[in-house]
Amino acid sequence: MDDKLNLNPPPILERITTATKKLGFSMASDDLTGSLLRTLAVSKPAGTFLELGTGTGISTAWILNGMHDDSILYTIDNDEEVVAVARHFLGHDSRLKFHVMDGAAFLDQMHEQQRFFDFIFADTWPGKLTHLEKALALVKPGGLYLIDDMLPQPNWPEGHAQDVATLIKTLETRTDFRLTKMNWSTGHIIAVRIG
């Protein structure tokens, strides 16, 4: 089985990828991650989704491609330049709500909205390497929390491997989530709240 064959990416993805390369943005999710996001999104009809780390909208496009018409996606990023690419190609989708702000500030604002999201993709430091507890508190019972880049990446800063190891250990010890670690693509963890 070739997991890169016949991925059937969202039709808009090629244009977003071209704009992303032109901008020089190198932190976008890969197609395997996108395919996984889309597949998991299908499992949450009428779902409320959160993406921490919009970037240029590559993973956003995959999530939207799997979401039902009655779902909503909040996507957060603090870099207006990269978000402008996502807005240009995806801004017409009424299911999508952009927030150009720091992910940590967004999570701080949401502190009273416990168990609000059916699906969280944390693709930036806030909600993954910082503010983890605040992000996990927002996951509904049966809701998904997904992170990528758990395998060494060329753009990791010095010392990041230890931060990732600590994060994995923290998630492994939780009793309120069940998780699967996937040594695949960039390395993923999928966690589901059980109560």
Side-chain angles (χ1 to χ4, degrees), residues 11-186:
I12 196 68
L13 191 65
E14 186 176 346
R15 294 171 60 202
I16 297 174
T17 301
T18 298
T20 300
K21 288 177 182 173
K22 185 175 181 181
L23 188 62
F25 183 72
S26 63
M27 299 173 66
S29 295
D30 69 343
D31 286 346
L32 291 175
T33 299
S35 177
L36 177 63
L37 289 168
R38 176 177 58 193
T39 299
L40 295 174
V42 173
S43 74
K44 299 297 177 187
T48 305
F49 293 71
L50 173 62
E51 177 186 36
L52 294 163
T54 311
T56 56
I58 287 178
S59 56
T60 315
W62 283 99
I63 295 169
L64 288 168
N65 195 239
M67 282 172 44
H68 295 245
D69 290 341
D70 53 355
S71 295
I72 187 167
L73 170 59
Y74 298 86
T75 187
I76 319 301
D77 202 300
N78 65 355
D79 187 337
E80 179 62 56
E81 184 179 20
V82 295
V83 173
V85 175
R87 269 191 216 277
H88 176 75
F89 292 106
L90 303 171
H92 65 280
D93 194 320
S94 62
R95 300 171 298 164
L96 183 57
K97 308 298 178 200
F98 288 99
H99 294 271
V100 180
M101 63 186 300
D102 182 69
F106 179 84
L107 291 170
D108 287 340
Q109 286 181 2
M110 294 293 292
H111 75 279
E112 293 182 10
Q113 304 292 327
Q114 299 296 301
R115 301 186 179 197
F116 186 78
F117 292 104
D118 298 288
F119 180 114
I120 295 177
F121 175 46
D123 193 25
T124 188
W125 287 43
K128 182 162 48 172
L129 295 169
T130 69
H131 298 76
L132 175 64
E133 292 299 322
K134 289 185 178 185
L136 293 176
L138 292 171
V139 179
K140 290 180 181 178
L144 299 167
Y145 171 82
L146 173 69
I147 52 178
D148 65 347
D149 299 334
M150 295 292 100
L151 294 173
Q153 301 298 308
N155 60 355
W156 276 10
E158 188 174 327
H160 191 67
Q162 182 56 49
D163 293 338
V164 169
T166 300
L167 169 62
I168 293 169
K169 187 171 185 175
T170 299
L171 290 170
E172 288 173 334
T173 61
R174 294 195 67 105
T175 59
D176 53 344
F177 283 82
R178 293 291 182 262
L179 62 95
T180 295
K181 297 174 288 184
M182 300 171 61
N183 191 11
W184 169 82
S185 177
T186 64

